[in-house]
């Protein structure tokens, strides 16, 4: 029996997060006798997925976090790593902020295939965002393959000209649809655990950071509470802005209506407990949580800054991020009034190519070589507001 191909995934951490969760869903679905994942992360800390990765046979390697001023030390660490480890069939870079640095180093060390994978359509505010744009500008010239989770992410990272040349491949942000089927029994159990019996529950899943726009979400929820007394909000995730959001909840006297429940490996249980999913992000690639919510049969109210490619079913309604919070609350109410009986939407999600088992088979063939990338050529950019 031959050894499996080893593919190195480059990420910031192995913690729960959007990109990390999508990679782990794929990893679980792969035939690991054929393809095995390893991970290069930019931290020495153990992540929530670290133990699972090792159980499945993956190896985790570490390099320093890039801080601009340590550019030479960063490159030195990468050269040392790839000089000692050139056994990989491919390097798959999900961390595009510095992929223009590490992918050429991997290629020079003898890695046959290098992949850049754009997973976001924006950058952080201020100097950090500006530096990210500058550093990743040459990325499209330095990767063998340019992948993106959506047309907007492709445009943000590689530019419109690269798309028009047919050099970017859109890869579905596939999920394990089996996990997310609607289950009334689980709904009752979770709502009881959280003390939400008889409540109208708004849910959100996402890291507490600028892009997820939690501050506006709290404003929307405050307006919703003026419209109905039974409203409750469940927030799943962790992040650098969590304490700021907690303070805002306290300041608006909403503490008894808002549940902060941290990161969850069993997030599929909590989708069952929600009555609607609200996602007011300032930018995204293609959020896996919106696909998960739809698979769970939830109505979703989503920012107009999120690609239309996220609307895999008729359950998604888009709302302008510049519209007043009261208008968002009114839309939640309208959605609740016209909501049909909740249904299992897993087949609909799979039909759009977002089932991870289908994607895993395509990725295995791609990594093995001799076949085209496992997605569609990105033909056009999805414009906001269309």
């Amino acid at each position: 029996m031959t050894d499996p191909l080893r593919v190195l995934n480059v990420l910031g951490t192995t913690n729960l997060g959007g990109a990390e969760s999508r990679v782990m869903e794929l990893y679980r679905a792969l035939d690991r006798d054929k393809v095995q994942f390893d991970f290069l992360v930019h931290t020495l800390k153990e992540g929530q997925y670290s133990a699972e990765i090792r159980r499945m046979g993956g190896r985790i390697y570490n390099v320093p976090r890039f801080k601009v001023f340590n550019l030479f030390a960063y490159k030195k660490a990468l050269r040392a790593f790839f000089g000692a480890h050139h056994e990989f069939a491919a390097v798959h870079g999900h961390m595009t902020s510095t992929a223009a640095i590490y992918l050429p180093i991997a290629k020079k060390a003898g890695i046959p295939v290098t992949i850049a994978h754009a997973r976001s359509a924006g950058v952080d505010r201020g100097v950090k965002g500006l530096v990210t744009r500058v550093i990743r500008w040459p990325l499209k010239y330095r990767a063998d393959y340019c992948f993106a989770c959506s047309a907007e992410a492709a445009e943000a990272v590689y530019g419109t000209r690269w798309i028009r040349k047919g050099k970017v491949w859109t890869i579905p942000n596939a999920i394990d649809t089996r996990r997310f089927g609607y289950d009334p029994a689980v709904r009752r159990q979770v709502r009881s655990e959280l003390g939400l019996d008889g409540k109208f529950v708004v849910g959100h899943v996402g890291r507490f950071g600028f892009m997820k726009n939690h501050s506006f979400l709290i404003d929307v929820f405050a307006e919703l509470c003026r419209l109905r007394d039974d409203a409750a909000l469940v927030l799943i995730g962790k992040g650098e802005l969590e304490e700021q959001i907690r303070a805002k909840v306290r300041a608006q006297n909403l503490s008894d209506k808002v549940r902060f429940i941290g990161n969850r490996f069993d997030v599929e249980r909590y989708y069952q407990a929600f009555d609607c999913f609200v996602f007011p992000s300032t930018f995204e690639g293609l959020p896996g949580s919106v696909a998960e919510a739809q698979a769970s049969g939830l109505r979703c109210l989503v920012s107009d800054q999120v690609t239309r490619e996220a609307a895999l079913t008729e359950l998604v309604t888009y709302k302008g991020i510049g519209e007043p919070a009261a208008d968002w609350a009114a839309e939640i109410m309208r959605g609740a009034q016209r909501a049909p009986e909740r249904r299992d939407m897993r087949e609909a999600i799979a039909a759009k190519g977002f089932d991870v088992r289908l994607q895993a088979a395509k990725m295995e063939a791609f990594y093995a070589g001799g076949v085209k990338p496992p997605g569609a050529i990105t033909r056009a950019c999805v414009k906001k507001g269309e």
Side-chain angles (χ1 to χ4, degrees):
M1 182 176 177
T2 59
D3 292 335
L5 297 173
R6 302 201 78 94
V7 174
L8 183 71
N9 291 272
V10 184
L11 290 160
T13 71
T14 53
N15 282 326
L16 281 161
E20 294 84 354
S21 294
R22 301 287 73 77
V23 173
M24 289 302 295
E25 292 271 39
L26 179 63
Y27 188 18
R28 297 181 191 113
L30 289 172
D31 182 344
R32 292 189 294 278
D33 289 332
K34 296 178 179 178
V35 177
Q36 178 60 254
F37 276 181
D38 295 317
F39 294 80
L40 181 66
V41 296
H42 291 67
T43 180
L44 292 174
K45 296 179 180 179
E46 288 284 286
Q48 286 102 341
Y49 286 127
S50 295
E52 182 183 3
I53 288 168
R54 294 191 177 100
R55 283 198 303 271
M56 291 194 292
R59 302 176 299 205
I60 301 172
Y61 304 99
N62 315 90
V63 290
R65 182 181 175 189
F66 178 68
K67 299 179 180 178
V68 182
F69 65 81
N70 69 339
L71 174 62
F72 294 108
Y74 182 64
K75 286 184 174 180
K76 182 179 180 181
L78 288 165
R79 291 190 187 104
F81 172 76
F82 285 111
H85 298 279
H86 33 72
E87 69 270 25
F88 306 110
V91 175
H92 197 143
H94 308 275
M95 185 175 171
T96 57
S97 57
T98 58
I101 300 173
Y102 62 75
L103 289 182
I105 293 173
K107 192 72 173 181
K108 189 174 181 180
I111 307 300
V113 175
T114 60
I115 305 157
H117 199 142
R119 292 185 174 275
S120 178
V123 296
D124 287 332
R125 294 174 293 183
V127 174
K128 182 179 180 181
L130 178 62
V131 170
T132 296
R133 291 184 189 277
V134 170
I135 291 174
R136 78 181 183 193
W137 179 85
L139 175 57
K140 56 183 171 287
Y141 303 108
R142 297 181 177 177
D144 294 325
Y145 293 94
C146 294
F147 289 177
C149 64
S150 68
E152 285 194 351
E155 182 181 15
V157 175
Y158 309 116
T160 303
R161 187 170 66 90
W162 218 243
I163 294 172
R164 288 175 178 163
K165 287 187 171 185
K167 293 188 175 184
V168 183
W169 297 80
T170 302
I171 310 297
N173 255 358
I175 64 172
D176 184 352
T177 56
R178 294 176 301 183
R179 294 173 56 197
F180 297 99
Y182 177 55
D183 188 330
V186 173
R187 174 181 170 84
R188 290 190 294 271
Q189 181 182 23
V190 175
R191 288 169 72 93
S192 177
E193 290 172 2
L194 296 177
L196 297 175
D197 290 332
K199 301 294 186 181
F200 178 80
V201 182
V202 175
H204 181 271
V205 178
R207 185 177 65 85
F208 284 84
F210 164 69
M211 68 183 292
K212 299 299 183 185
N213 206 14
H214 283 84
S215 182
F216 182 67
L217 176 59
I218 299 305
D219 292 338
V220 171
F221 180 67
E223 294 291 342
L224 181 65
C225 289
R226 293 186 176 94
L227 300 175
R228 55 187 307 161
D229 294 332
D230 64 344
L233 175 64
V234 175
L235 300 174
I236 299 178
K238 302 288 288 184
E240 65 274 11
L241 297 184
E242 181 178 350
E243 186 48 48
Q244 179 180 314
I245 299 305
R246 286 180 177 271
K248 183 167 184 171
V249 167
R250 292 192 294 269
Q252 297 201 25
N253 297 315
L254 295 172
S255 296
D256 62 331
K257 292 178 175 289
V258 180
R259 309 286 195 276
F260 293 81
I261 62 173
N263 287 327
R264 305 293 309 195
F265 282 106
D266 57 347
V267 66
E268 65 273 12
R269 298 180 69 244
Y270 294 88
Y271 286 117
Q272 312 301 318
F274 301 162
D275 292 298
C276 72
F277 188 75
V278 181
F279 202 76
S281 290
T282 55
F283 62 87
E284 288 284 345
L286 195 154
S289 57
V290 176
E292 293 170 350
Q294 290 173 82
S296 303
L298 275 171
R299 295 191 67 84
C300 303
L301 182 59
V302 177
S303 158
D304 64 347
Q305 301 302 296
V306 175
T307 177
R308 266 45 180 181
E309 293 164 273
L312 303 173
T313 71
E314 73 281 0
L315 292 171
V316 176
T317 298
Y318 286 90
K319 192 75 174 167
I321 197 66
E323 296 184 42
D327 290 356
W328 278 64
E331 184 60 47
I332 292 171
M333 290 292 289
R334 283 192 292 272
Q337 291 164 2
R338 65 175 181 260
E341 183 178 355
R342 194 160 168 181
R343 295 182 292 125
D344 187 330
M345 299 296 288
R346 290 177 292 179
E347 288 188 7
I349 301 300
K352 294 293 182 71
F354 276 72
D355 185 89
V356 75
R357 287 172 297 284
L358 174 63
Q359 194 63 24
K362 292 181 177 180
M363 289 301 298
E364 287 170 12
F366 169 69
Y367 289 137
V371 299
K372 66 180 183 180
I377 294 176
T378 307
R379 295 293 184 186
C381 298
V382 178
K383 300 301 182 185
K384 300 178 181 68
E386 293 182 356

